[in-house]
Amino acid sequence: NLAYTGIFNGNGYTVSGIYINAADDTNQGLFGYLGTDGIVQGLTVSNSYVLADSYVSSIVARNEGTIQNCENNGYVYGYYAGGIAGQNAGDIIECVNTAFIDGTGYNGGIAGYNNSGEISSCYNTGDINGTTTVGGITGSNTSSASITNCYNTGDINSDTSYAGGIAGSNTATIENCYN
């Protein structure tokens, strides 16, 4: 997939009614892949439905850039499913998820899988469900990843194992967070 490397400023507007039903596809969201220099900011996605096999989110499926001041109010389903990003290896700052996130694993309110990324000043109030590795902020927080100044108030449910209020599994840094 080609990476989006521009600057998308939503200026506080809302994109509503996105419908993606791609059960056999990956990298599904408003932006499929946000590259290192890419920025998505000031955007709300609401009343949307995004379903894919893996790497799925209402806003960015795979992030290596910066997502700031964005909100998701739409339903997301898949493996590596998150309200703001399916997989994060970039920065997610001041973002909010209030929607239901569901799937087969690595599901989180902000990012399904936080691999070497930084998530800061974000919160989740939506319910997060999955087969395994489910968290209020991220399903899994690994490598040199960090989660700081975040909180979760949504219900977390894993069908088998690895569920947590902030992260379903963690081998990295979590600071100043609460559930």
Side-chain angles (χ1 to χ4, degrees):
N1 287 341
L2 294 175
Y4 177 78
T5 56
I7 298 172
F8 182 90
N9 187 344
N11 287 321
Y13 284 96
T14 298
V15 174
S16 183
I18 295 172
Y19 180 82
I20 299 172
N21 188 351
D24 295 329
D25 293 328
T26 62
N27 299 332
Q28 299 296 310
L30 183 60
F31 294 89
Y33 176 33
L34 185 64
T36 304
D37 296 325
I39 298 172
V40 174
Q41 62 189 19
L43 174 68
T44 296
V45 175
S46 70
N47 299 322
S48 296
Y49 176 93
V50 183
L51 179 145
D53 177 63
S54 59
Y55 304 107
V56 56
S57 175
S58 289
I59 298 177
V60 176
R62 294 179 92 158
N63 179 46
E64 292 181 1
T66 300
I67 306 169
Q68 185 168 9
N69 195 25
C70 291
E71 183 172 344
N72 173 49
N73 302 318
Y75 174 80
V76 177
Y77 181 93
Y79 189 72
Y80 296 119
I84 305 301
Q87 178 192 23
N88 181 49
D91 297 319
I92 300 176
I93 307 159
E94 299 167 341
C95 292
V96 176
N97 177 66
T98 62
F100 180 57
I101 309 298
D102 194 9
T104 53
Y106 293 92
N107 302 341
I110 302 300
Y113 181 46
N114 190 33
N115 181 17
S116 304
E118 295 184 18
I119 298 173
S120 62
S121 301
C122 296
Y123 70 89
N124 173 65
T125 62
D127 293 345
I128 313 300
N129 188 38
T131 303
T132 185
T133 320
V134 179
I137 300 299
T138 186
S140 182
N141 192 47
T142 64
S143 288
S144 58
S146 68
I147 300 171
T148 57
N149 302 320
C150 295
Y151 71 88
N152 171 62
T153 60
D155 289 337
I156 308 303
N157 182 29
S158 172
D159 295 340
T160 58
S161 62
Y162 302 112
I166 301 299
S169 67
N170 178 52
T171 58
T173 302
I174 297 175
E175 294 180 334
N176 198 31
C177 296
Y178 72 88
N179 173 55

